[in-house]
Amino acid sequence: MKRTEEKKIKIRIIIVGVIFTVFYLVIGAKAAYEQIYRGPTLSQKAADQYEKMYYASGKRGTIYDSKHKEMGVSIDSISIGAYPKKIKDKKDDSKTIAKYLDVNEKRLLKKLNSKKSFVWIKRHVTPKKAKNIKDLNFEGVDFIKEHTRVYPKKTIAAQLIGFSGIDGKGLEGIEFYYDSYLEGEDAEQVVIKDALGRGFDHEKRVSDYNGNNLILTIDSTIQYIAERALEKTVNDFGARSGMAIIMDPKTGAILAHAHYPFFNLNSFGKYDRGLWRNRAITDPFEPGSTMKTFLAAAAIESGYCSPDSIFQCNGEHNIEEELWEGAKEKQWKTLQQIIKFSDNNGAVKVAEMIGNKNLYNTLKDFGFGSKTGIDCPGETSGSLKSYLRWSKVEAGTISYGYGISVSAIQLITAVSAIANGGVLMKPYIVKAITDENGQFVSSFRPQRVRRVISETTAKTVRDIMATVTTSGGTGVGAAIEGFKVSGKTGTARKINKKGEYEKGKCIASFIGFAPGDNPELAVLVTVDEPQIKHSGGAVAAPAFKKIVSETFNYLTITPQIAAVRK
Amino acid sequence: MITKNRKKNSGGYDFSLLLPVLLLVGIGIVMVYSASSEVAFKKYGNDYLFLKKQGIATLIGIFAMIVFSYTPYRLLRHFSYLFLITGLGLLIILKVSGMGYEAGGATRWLRFKGFSFQPSEFARFALVIYMAYSLSKKHENIKNLYIGFLPHVIVLGIFSALIFMQPDFGSVVILAIITWIMMFVGGVRIMHLTTSLLLILPVAVYYMMTAQYRIQRLISFLDPWKYPRDEGYQIIHSLMAFGTGGLWGSGIGQGYQKLFYLPEPHTDFIFSVIGEELGFVGVVIIISLYALVLWRGIIIAKNTDDLFGSYLALGLTVAIGLQVFFNMGVALALFPTKGLTLPFLSYGGTSLLLNMAFVGILMNIGRSG
């Protein structure tokens, strides 16, 4: 009896053990259910509570011109967003908000009904409007400090500077090219909050997110001078468009980079996209007679010629507007005269003398056919075929600028090499990057690419080019009293869609530098399809003169100073 | 078979019991620190506060365990009435003396010279010893209603009434279940046990319904997501902790729910913090460790020839096991919230000290049984 009772007790003890084991298994099963099966849902719910989106949009850096004037600057603005999950009465709220903010009610409601954790209601509103909404105390509506990009100089250097979009991302021009430097850091970040709403991660100061500033080589006053002159020229001649570039030939720094027609960076969306393009960098064109400059350089450098070498030409002066149509009355001209009068036939003769290879190599050394490496997006390399593939006609036409295409930046860079004594410089737009406190992050020094021609050759070519602006020369319109001005005109016929050269559609250009023997400025002016007059000498040379003389005025470069510097 | 067991347990420590307990205590210290440091820092300016206190309690607990493991458990038999009266006395003092310390709407703690103490924990200990003593003594007449059943129910009733008044419903439930299980094992008629249960049930239900906070707890338990800010707050944050932990957990110290979301993250809801930081894997390990402790206790109870020792071992094992079950069940929303700690793991000196003492006694029973 006692034995059996003891046994029963032991059995009951085991029963208790088994029951508790079942209890523990139930716990384990429930844990598996909550942690494995329901885990993702629960953790999302948890995250919704303790994660708060924190928008620390660092300010985009400022773009300054070389005189530290603001070209592009970000100012504080407020954007309104919403956490759809936290909004209870979506229909009612969207109605009210739509009314206050002047946004489409249906579209707003659609946004609020979306599954996204955050949506924008309206970006960049005025503080007053934001306050109106704030006062209504909507749950789930958030106000985020953002920045709006403003371009105080509006149209100035618009194609060069480019712009940034609503998210503060650079879309065009310098804004695009230097976006990684300019942009403020990490615009949004998740901050973990405890139940009392305090952040646990150490929040960075917003200023830590600020982007860097750019200091351009552009001087906005010179830019303004160039733009006004360009505007006047294009309008006076009923042209389609124009470009003007001013370079410091010694360094390759771009002082002005003008395109016409203008567009206002603050409302870029209202303009035709075609206007946004930095055409001086991206668009190749047939340069025409300005190329003779480099032909002359090749001729002198080759040693076969001197300025006084005589060539038998077909007798037509300044035949640019009529393509080379074969020999007429024969006439003897020196190399210098060929340049001065821009004699295509003479140019062909010069090219024949120095040979294709020589010409090709010199052009190549001047940077044609390859990118200059300027710090702008979308640069074209133009086209310069290898001399081995030149046809007989091409071998001649290339000498006066057909059958080759160049960009405006290539042209000004190449001519600067002649101006500075024979060294090709790399053109650049940004001379320094500074942080928000103005401390230098990096600065860019002028970069030599290569020596193209000897100093003597360069001087000889400069002298030849100086005759262009003297009496009888094609570029006499560019002459500035008291200064020696070297230059070369160009009047290039445009090719139409059929691949034919079209009469009356030209690119008139002038390329040059001054003061003649120690050039401070190299300037290129091109005018697309001038109507009243067509030649570079008539259209572009006066613009060149206006730009250079006004800029000299601004820089207080006087004939005396120029002489002393010489 | 019995001799074999005796041999096994005759000398040194019972590692199959000691090891899981020490592991749990060790994990407990780490998790108490992880769970409490932010709260301790924000409230008291010292993130090590609870870690330090728990560390001291652990040392005292281990000392108590060693002392009890060498104290012949049979001596406890002589103290059963003394403990019972002390337990009652402490509960009465808590009620009338004003030395009670109120937390969360209930007075469950006695505070004496900076030392807090929970009388209901001691009452549980006293009741287990009394039950073991009484059941073994009345073994022959256990089937008798007036000898085997009623006296125990009356003692339980007195304790329950006093603890009800704190109020601490959870402890009453645990006390009642321990008593019932011990009576069941001791051989009290199943008839008595079930009939009385049916009689008590309406009383319990009535009691549940009379206190507003209990109704709220019940409602929130049934549908916590409906009351995320009010009654359901604790439960859903506990569940979120488990859900966030997933399979592998977010790593020790990496949990978020303890950051003022979970009430009492280092005491009542330490299991939720474990669930979040150590994941399901950690939860399974913890449950397994408790299962080892449970079965070691059950085996000791089964293998002990001495009835008092056997009942005592079972009572202590059940006391620990029930508290584990209810604490975890609350954290996982199987039960409405109760203020129960998780043995060995939760922060709390009384709880740790008593549970370690229980282990010491179990070891002694195992050794001498």
Side-chain angles (χ1 to χ4, degrees):
Chain A
M1 166 68 205
K2 196 167 183 237
R3 205 78 201 138
T4 50
E5 186 51 36
E6 240 176 50
K7 215 170 181 180
K8 276 186 182 168
I9 290 173
K10 289 190 195 309
I11 289 168
R12 286 197 290 261
I13 289 173
I14 297 296
I15 289 173
V16 172
V18 170
I19 289 171
F20 271 82
T21 307
V22 172
F23 283 179
Y24 285 6
L25 287 175
V26 168
I27 296 287
K30 186 79 198 300
Y33 171 74
E34 301 293 356
Q35 300 200 267
I36 314 287
Y37 178 72
R38 293 249 298 148
T41 320
L42 287 169
S43 63
Q44 186 53 50
K45 282 189 170 163
D48 288 348
Q49 289 213 326
Y50 58 68
E51 287 177 1
K52 191 175 188 308
M53 286 300 243
Y54 175 62
Y55 291 83
S57 56
K59 220 181 211 175
R60 193 174 174 82
T62 304
I63 299 177
Y64 295 105
D65 80 343
S66 63
K67 296 287 185 290
H68 226 77
K69 288 180 195 150
E70 288 170 346
M71 309 280 279
V73 62
S74 284
I75 56 165
D76 293 337
S77 67
I78 295 169
S79 285
I80 302 178
Y83 303 95
K85 274 186 234 164
K86 290 186 184 164
I87 293 179
K88 281 176 187 147
D89 194 344
K90 287 172 183 160
K91 204 159 183 190
D92 232 44
D93 283 5
S94 56
K95 199 171 181 178
T96 323
I97 294 169
K99 203 178 76 192
Y100 271 88
L101 286 178
D102 195 26
V103 292
N104 186 302
E105 185 190 326
K106 270 186 193 158
R107 220 176 293 158
L108 178 59
L109 185 63
K110 206 176 160 192
K111 274 190 202 170
L112 294 186
N113 280 326
S114 78
K115 287 212 166 90
K116 288 182 189 164
S117 64
F118 180 86
V119 294
W120 289 112
I121 295 176
K122 192 168 186 182
R123 305 283 293 271
H124 308 303
V125 302
T126 60
K128 200 184 158 209
K129 272 192 178 171
K131 198 184 173 298
N132 284 342
I133 297 287
K134 223 173 208 169
D135 288 345
L136 294 171
N137 265 327
F138 288 110
E139 202 176 330
V141 173
D142 206 356
F143 299 84
I144 289 108
K145 262 185 149 178
E146 284 202 298
H147 308 288
T148 308
R149 197 66 164 166
V150 172
Y151 301 94
K153 297 198 179 292
K154 294 169 187 146
T155 60
I156 298 282
Q159 287 85 350
L160 176 74
I161 290 169
F163 44 81
S164 64
I166 198 161
D167 287 309
K169 206 86 185 114
L171 299 179
E172 294 278 343
I174 293 290
E175 290 269 37
F176 173 79
Y177 193 88
Y178 283 94
D179 191 49
S180 61
Y181 294 92
L182 286 165
E183 70 178 346
E185 235 180 281
D186 273 335
E188 50 188 72
Q189 130 186 68
V190 174
V191 173
I192 305 301
K193 301 269 181 188
D194 68 12
L196 310 176
R198 292 174 301 215
F200 268 82
D201 295 353
H202 288 286
E203 288 168 24
K204 276 192 184 176
R205 283 176 303 122
V206 174
S207 61
D208 292 341
Y209 293 97
N210 286 352
N212 290 323
N213 307 316
L214 300 182
I215 299 174
L216 304 185
T217 56
I218 301 290
D219 182 319
S220 53
T221 307
I222 301 177
Q223 176 78 23
Y224 183 81
I225 291 168
E227 288 186 2
R228 290 301 145 238
L230 190 62
E231 181 182 26
K232 186 174 186 307
T233 303
V234 170
N235 289 335
D236 284 356
F237 292 97
R240 283 183 57 194
S241 64
M243 294 187 278
I245 306 178
I246 306 180
M247 183 182 269
D248 177 347
K250 296 185 188 86
T251 61
I254 309 286
L255 304 179
H257 192 93
H259 291 77
Y260 186 84
F262 308 137
F263 74 95
N264 188 339
L265 287 171
N266 296 310
S267 51
F268 60 86
K270 291 179 187 158
Y271 295 85
D272 176 36
R273 296 178 71 100
L275 283 183
W276 299 349
R277 221 166 55 246
N278 187 348
R279 303 192 296 277
I281 308 289
T282 60
D283 289 13
F285 62 97
E286 283 188 311
S289 298
T290 46
M291 285 313 274
K292 287 176 189 150
T293 316
F294 310 105
L295 172 74
I300 305 289
E301 182 74 2
S302 70
Y304 296 132
C305 293
S306 75
D308 302 322
S309 301
I310 290 178
F311 298 86
Q312 192 184 37
C313 308
N314 63 11
E316 271 185 43
H317 285 188
N318 195 12
I319 57 155
E320 291 166 294
E321 292 181 25
E322 310 292 321
L323 270 180
W324 180 44
E325 283 163 351
K328 290 187 179 170
E329 192 185 328
K330 290 188 178 172
Q331 196 178 40
W332 294 92
K333 274 186 198 153
T334 63
L335 174 61
Q336 183 164 307
Q337 286 169 325
I338 289 170
I339 301 299
K340 180 174 180 179
F341 304 123
S342 198
D343 188 321
N344 287 354
N345 185 249
V348 174
K349 293 285 160 64
V350 176
E352 274 169 10
M353 182 179 188
I354 61 171
N356 291 351
K357 187 180 174 185
N358 242 327
L359 178 60
Y360 169 78
N361 282 337
T362 307
L363 292 179
K364 202 165 167 279
D365 282 352
F366 270 111
F368 296 110
S370 50
K371 292 177 182 175
T372 62
I374 189 171
D375 42 350
C376 289
E379 190 185 358
T380 176
S381 52
S383 72
L384 172 62
K385 272 194 282 187
S386 165
Y387 69 95
L388 297 171
R389 292 192 287 137
W390 287 357
S391 68
K392 212 172 171 199
V393 176
E394 273 176 329
T397 57
I398 283 172
S399 68
Y400 57 91
Y402 289 91
I404 176 176
S405 76
V406 304
S407 67
I409 194 71
Q410 282 175 331
L411 213 48
I412 187 80
T413 308
V415 89
S416 289
I418 294 170
N420 70 21
V423 177
L424 190 73
M425 300 301 292
K426 185 177 167 183
Y428 64 104
I429 295 287
V430 172
K431 67 174 180 181
I433 298 175
T434 62
D435 67 15
E436 53 160 343
N437 301 317
Q439 299 293 311
F440 282 94
V441 175
S442 52
S443 50
F444 301 96
R445 295 178 170 282
Q447 279 184 48
R448 248 176 93 114
V449 178
R450 69 180 80 89
R451 174 165 285 285
V452 184
I453 49 173
S454 71
E455 228 164 293
T456 339
T457 306
K459 167 138 186 31
T460 310
V461 177
R462 284 201 299 267
D463 288 342
I464 295 174
M465 288 172 76
T467 64
V468 172
T469 63
T470 57
S471 176
T474 54
V476 72
I480 302 165
E481 208 179 323
F483 293 99
K484 180 177 170 184
V485 175
S486 300
K488 181 70 194 79
T489 56
T491 312
R493 298 266 293 277
K494 286 176 79 176
I495 301 175
N496 64 15
K497 280 176 188 161
K498 291 178 199 157
E500 297 159 341
Y501 287 98
E502 215 172 317
K503 199 158 187 169
K505 287 203 170 176
C506 303
I507 295 176
S509 60
F510 189 89
I511 186 167
F513 42 84
D517 287 313
N518 184 23
E520 301 281 339
L521 305 172
V523 179
L524 165 69
V525 177
T526 72
V527 180
D528 191 21
E529 294 183 21
Q531 295 304 315
I532 298 150
K533 289 177 182 169
H534 303 291
S535 74
V539 177
F544 171 93
K545 177 187 178 176
K546 190 169 158 63
I547 290 169
V548 172
S549 52
E550 283 179 26
T551 306
F552 277 179
N553 223 348
Y554 164 68
L555 295 174
T556 63
I557 296 173
T558 62
Q560 287 81 3
I561 288 171
V564 168
R565 283 196 189 170
K566 177 183 163 187
Chain B
M1 187 183 162
I2 288 166
T3 21
K4 204 176 156 196
N5 264 302
R6 235 180 228 153
K7 219 179 211 169
K8 192 177 146 197
N9 297 324
S10 59
Y13 292 97
D14 181 352
F15 284 104
S16 54
L17 179 59
L18 186 63
L19 219 62
V21 167
L22 289 183
L23 272 171
L24 284 166
V25 171
I27 295 170
I29 290 175
V30 174
M31 295 317 294
V32 161
Y33 176 65
S34 172
S36 71
S37 60
E38 286 292 345
V39 175
F41 184 75
K42 289 270 151 69
K43 278 192 182 167
Y44 307 101
N46 175 8
D47 52 347
Y48 294 107
L49 181 74
F50 293 111
L51 175 68
K52 208 174 118 195
K53 284 189 167 184
Q54 184 75 349
I56 293 167
T58 304
L59 290 179
I60 297 172
I62 288 174
F63 178 72
M65 181 181 76
I66 293 168
V67 167
F68 275 96
S69 78
Y70 285 110
T71 309
Y73 72 90
R74 287 187 179 84
L75 290 178
L76 291 171
R77 185 202 296 261
H78 307 299
F79 292 98
S80 59
Y81 286 113
L82 179 66
F83 282 159
L84 207 58
I85 290 160
T86 311
L88 280 174
L90 286 169
L91 286 171
I92 292 167
I93 288 169
L94 177 68
K95 192 69 208 161
V96 299
S97 70
M99 288 204 299
Y101 161 65
E102 198 181 315
T107 311
R108 294 170 185 174
W109 299 82
L110 263 182
R111 204 170 239 193
F112 184 67
K113 294 197 172 168
F115 178 70
S116 328
F117 175 76
Q118 220 174 336
S120 61
E121 300 255 11
F122 183 78
R124 191 178 311 155
F125 179 52
L127 193 75
V128 167
I129 291 172
Y130 160 75
M131 288 297 293
Y133 166 71
S134 179
L135 287 170
S136 61
K137 192 180 71 179
K138 296 167 180 168
H139 179 59
E140 304 295 331
N141 301 310
I142 203 73
K143 305 281 183 206
N144 185 313
L145 175 69
Y146 300 100
I147 297 170
F149 181 68
L150 276 184
H152 305 129
V153 175
I154 288 166
V155 171
L156 171 70
I158 296 167
F159 272 98
S160 298
L162 284 167
I163 298 172
F164 263 143
M165 284 190 275
Q166 293 182 359
D168 185 354
F169 188 61
S171 289
V172 170
V173 171
I174 285 193
L175 231 50
I177 295 176
I178 291 172
T179 312
W180 247 252
I181 287 176
M182 288 184 77
M183 287 195 290
F184 163 71
V185 171
V188 173
R189 277 182 194 279
I190 304 292
M191 181 69 168
H192 294 159
L193 293 174
T194 46
T195 320
S196 57
L197 212 59
L198 291 175
L199 289 174
I200 288 173
L201 210 62
V203 179
V205 169
Y206 170 77
Y207 179 77
M208 282 286 292
M209 292 305 171
T210 48
Q212 188 61 35
Y213 82 99
R214 274 190 291 270
I215 296 173
Q216 283 175 352
R217 279 190 182 180
L218 195 69
I219 291 170
S220 64
F221 161 67
L222 293 174
D223 189 6
W225 296 99
K226 219 172 174 178
Y227 308 92
R229 280 177 208 286
D230 316 301
E231 293 83 18
Y233 185 83
Q234 299 186 350
I235 298 172
I236 69 167
H237 280 285
S238 178
L239 288 179
M240 281 177 182
F242 280 103
T244 307
L247 182 60
W248 296 105
S250 52
I252 290 176
Q254 304 296 311
Y256 292 128
Q257 292 299 332
K258 67 195 183 195
L259 305 175
F260 302 92
Y261 288 104
L262 269 181
E264 313 281 339
H266 53 300
T267 60
D268 297 2
F269 283 94
I270 191 135
F271 191 51
S272 318
V273 177
I274 290 170
E276 182 172 11
E277 301 192 352
L278 303 181
F280 181 63
V281 172
V283 165
V284 168
I285 290 171
I286 298 288
I287 294 175
S288 306
L289 289 172
Y290 281 119
L292 284 177
V293 173
L294 172 82
W295 275 101
R296 195 58 216 144
I298 294 288
I299 297 296
I300 287 170
K302 191 192 123 236
N303 290 346
T304 305
D305 292 334
D306 172 37
L307 267 186
F308 172 65
S310 182
Y311 292 157
L312 184 60
L314 180 90
L316 296 177
T317 305
V318 165
I320 295 170
L322 267 182
Q323 202 157 341
V324 170
F325 177 54
F326 278 121
N327 177 283
M328 290 181 169
V330 167
L332 281 164
L334 284 170
F335 307 114
T337 44
K338 296 181 188 65
L340 290 174
T341 57
L342 188 56
F344 311 121
L345 278 171
S346 283
Y347 170 79
T350 326
S351 164
L352 189 63
L353 183 69
L354 272 168
N355 284 313
M356 294 299 277
F358 288 2
V359 173
I361 296 167
L362 277 177
M363 287 166 115
N364 184 264
I365 298 171
R367 200 182 287 148
S368 34

